[in-house]
Amino acid sequence: MKYAALALLAAAPLLGMGNYPLHLLILCLLWACVYTSWSVMGRLGMVSFGHGAFMGIGAYVVVMGWNHYGLSPWIGTPIALALAAAVAFLIGYPCFRFKIVGHYFALVTLALSEVTRLIIVALRDQTGGSLGVTPKTALADVSYSLNALQFSSKLVWFYVILAFWLGGLWIWKKVDESMGRLALEAISQEEDAAASIGINVTKLKLGVTILSALMTCMGGVLYAQYQLYVNPDTVSGIGISLQMVFGVIAGGMFVRLGPTVGAAFTLLLAEGLRLWFGNQYHGLDLTVYGLMLVLFIIYMPKGILGAASGALEKRRMVRAGA
Amino acid sequence: MPSRLLSVHDLTKAFGGFIAVNRVSFDVAEGEILGLIGPNGSGKSTTFNLIAGALAPSAGSIRLREREIGGLYANRVAHLGVGRTYQIPRPFRKLSLVENVALAAYYGQAGQPSRERAYQQARDALELVKLPSEDAARVDGLGAAGLKKLELARALATQPQLLLADESLGGLDEQEMNQAADMLSGIRDRRGITIIWVEHIMGALMRVVDRCVVLDHGEVIAQGKPQEVAHDPKVIEVYLGTDARQLQSDIAARTG
Ligand SMILES: Nc1ncnc2c1ncn2[C@@H]1O[C@H](COP(=O)(O)OP(=O)(O)OP(=O)(O)O)[C@@H](O)[C@H]1O
Ligand SMILES: [Mg+2]
């Protein structure tokens, strides 16, 4: 069943899918990667509004390296990942050491994502500022360049991103099955008691934060290489961080495919808003996200998939009981 | 003469200007059950927090087998063989009973055991305190006595040499108190674990402890065998004092 669905998904673009639906599908998988990355730590009680920073690092480091130094993304990516890990460490270590949790942690990370956006804007001579930047094309007379990690075929991108999405789900599963997950849940409930039974709270939290940051950074790299255009607002800053949190909460962060459902939902919502209202109302999507976030938290705290599987479970129990 | 396991010397903790623990000194011999008693707010739990690494001492030393542990992080102290329970239970409510205890077995020992072994040790610890050890058993539905047992099982699963048991919680009746007392002495007798037992009433504790340390306002006012301590005028005064206050407030509550 699971594999049949996966095979269908993998075969979908070969069955004569139009360019626009394929583009939406790719974006959906890409955001699903990013949301899954966020949830790896988010569902363990560490709600970060700072993941825009890691995505921004992934996107900009690789594009800047390519444009200014002719650095292949194959080299730029490890640099971006190292930088993301370093930033995660620098922000995480003091937070975890001094027990900055909950709302305070959210606030610190919120600042991080906004600072990243401001830095990108401030370095406008290198980054193109708020207008964004396009990686120099390597596709002038070829249809793909492995060295530049640029492919004109959407099909190639589809399979690349599909693979990363599956990789993300696999990491989720590994984390889920580990003792570390139980320990992090224990920490999120009773941090002092967790330390008293020998759990190294700071180390575990840092570990999962860095893992999540690396995965998100990778999402940023893919985003930039696929879209061949990055803009501070679409890969960093409060807006994108809020969108991640919203998407994950909407989809449901306690089930493995929840973030993926959330990605589909936010994407359709954004496209819908764009078609309905056009591009004239700047910030409209953010307002709608904010409103819907509140509604979800009140009425559907487990998200769409969480609520749906909860309802299914209930029906099964009723039937088993009858 | 059994060897000294723990040695606390001039231990002091100040919260701002308030001194909660004031130059407290005592030794604990290997295999001993030491009662740490004193009225409300006398500094018993704070002393535990200092030994277990939840708080850093303002001054003084804490030596475990001649090794200074004052100021180490709590997880390090756990690895060195100190287990503790909380006066107000702090279970991981969203985890099952076995998971609660298995975490302690997995992370609490100096050398990390395999997962299977940790779960086995967790089940053993749960059986020892007479809690259900099957996978489905959950924290919800445990009463005050059950939660205290879970605290105990979790601490025991770290395979400690020294157990700090903070039992000073109301809510247990006479029979439950006696059961707790028997359980602790059983743990010492069968497992050879040294225990410091905190309590604010003397009753059940007096039966099983080898020695007592009495705290009042953060200071040691007496220590020795239970009978000696119980007849010490300073101890009688402290306890009569609180009893008298208690009585007065009870009377006030009834007539007011
Ligand atoms: N973190 C803290 N900050 C400030 N004061 C504290 C703190 N922890 C304890 N105290 C104070 O220190 C004193 C000793 O508290 P402690 O909890 O050690 O008493 P106790 O002997 O365990 O009392 P009880 O029998 O009620 O449990 C109390 O006056 C308490 O209010
Ligand atoms: Mg206390």
Side-chain angles (χ1 to χ4, degrees), chain B residues 15 18 20 39-46 87 168 200:
Chain B
F15 295 113
F18 174 73
N40 290 125
S42 55
K44 304 180 297 293
S45 298
T46 305
Q87 177 173 8
S168 50
H200 45 228

Side-chain angles (χ1 to χ4, degrees), chain A residues 34-35 38 51-52 55 216 240-248:
Chain A
V34 173
Y35 292 1
W38 184 93
H51 271 48
M55 195 168 172
T216 309
I240 214 70
S241 301
L242 186 69
Q243 184 200 310
M244 288 185 209
V245 180
F246 167 69
V248 170

Side-chain angles (χ1 to χ4, degrees), chain B residues 36-87:
Chain B
L36 183 59
I37 59 178
N40 290 125
S42 55
K44 304 180 297 293
S45 298
T46 305
T47 303
F48 266 18
N49 284 333
L50 292 168
I51 299 173
L55 292 173
S58 309
S61 83
I62 305 166
R63 292 177 158 269
L64 182 74
R65 291 226 159 84
E66 305 309 322
R67 171 182 181 161
E68 180 64 43
I69 60 165
L72 291 185
Y73 292 141
N75 55 307
R76 291 279 299 123
V77 177
H79 288 160
L80 293 173
V82 179
R84 63 93 49 101
T85 71
Y86 286 95
Q87 177 173 8

Side-chain angles (χ1 to χ4, degrees), chain A residues 93 97 177-183 185-187 189-190 192-200 204, chain B residues 73-75 78-79 84 86 90-95 99 102-104 106-108 115 119 154 158:
Chain A
Y93 186 79
R97 215 16 225 91
E177 291 166 352
S178 70
M179 283 301 270
R181 189 208 95 222
L182 279 185
E185 279 189 27
I187 290 169
Q189 293 164 42
E190 284 290 350
D192 290 341
S196 85
I197 56 168
I199 295 175
N200 189 334
L204 269 179
Chain B
Y73 292 141
N75 55 307
H79 288 160
R84 63 93 49 101
Y86 286 95
R90 299 190 182 185
F92 309 127
R93 292 195 171 273
K94 291 186 204 146
L95 307 184
E99 285 170 340
L103 276 177
Y106 190 75
Y107 285 101
R115 231 161 123 152
Y119 272 85
R154 205 167 59 182
T158 66

Side-chain angles (χ1 to χ4, degrees), chain B residues 33-246:
Chain B
I33 301 185
L34 178 80
L36 183 59
I37 59 178
N40 290 125
S42 55
K44 304 180 297 293
S45 298
T46 305
T47 303
F48 266 18
N49 284 333
L50 292 168
I51 299 173
L55 292 173
S58 309
S61 83
I62 305 166
R63 292 177 158 269
L64 182 74
R65 291 226 159 84
E66 305 309 322
R67 171 182 181 161
E68 180 64 43
I69 60 165
L72 291 185
Y73 292 141
N75 55 307
R76 291 279 299 123
V77 177
H79 288 160
L80 293 173
V82 179
R84 63 93 49 101
T85 71
Y86 286 95
Q87 177 173 8
I88 298 162
R90 299 190 182 185
F92 309 127
R93 292 195 171 273
K94 291 186 204 146
L95 307 184
S96 71
L97 290 190
V98 187
E99 285 170 340
N100 264 271
V101 184
L103 276 177
Y106 190 75
Y107 285 101
Q109 304 178 56
Q112 197 166 65
S114 72
R115 231 161 123 152
E116 291 68 35
R117 175 126 182 82
Y119 272 85
Q120 190 51 51
Q121 287 175 330
R123 284 193 205 91
D124 291 346
L126 283 167
E127 273 155 30
L128 189 71
V129 303
K130 305 196 174 62
L131 279 179
S133 63
E134 67 267 10
D135 289 346
R138 309 216 46 99
V139 175
D140 311 326
L142 288 185
L147 289 173
K148 294 249 87 166
K149 286 180 183 173
L150 178 57
E151 282 288 322
L152 199 55
R154 205 167 59 182
L156 287 173
T158 66
Q159 314 298 326
Q161 287 145 18
L162 174 65
L163 173 67
L164 310 175
D166 198 334
E167 294 289 308
S168 50
L169 178 74
L172 299 194
D173 61 28
E174 180 89 22
Q175 194 196 349
E176 285 170 334
M177 290 283 262
N178 280 323
Q179 276 172 1
D182 292 339
M183 189 169 286
L184 285 180
S185 64
I187 286 166
R188 191 269 310 265
D189 296 345
R190 266 177 275 130
R191 303 229 165 165
I193 297 173
T194 307
I195 298 173
I196 307 182
W197 180 5
V198 157
E199 191 62 83
H200 45 228
I201 54 168
M202 292 194 183
L205 172 135
M206 286 309 197
R207 248 182 344 102
V208 296
V209 299
D210 301 307
R211 252 169 2 105
C212 277
V213 170
V214 187
L215 288 182
D216 185 38
H217 291 107
E219 295 182 30
V220 176
I221 56 163
Q223 56 178 313
K225 298 247 177 273
Q227 306 87 323
E228 294 165 20
V229 164
H231 293 111
D232 188 305
K234 275 186 280 182
V235 177
I236 292 171
E237 194 194 312
V238 164
Y239 271 87
L240 282 181
T242 51
D243 284 348
R245 273 205 300 279
Q246 188 77 47

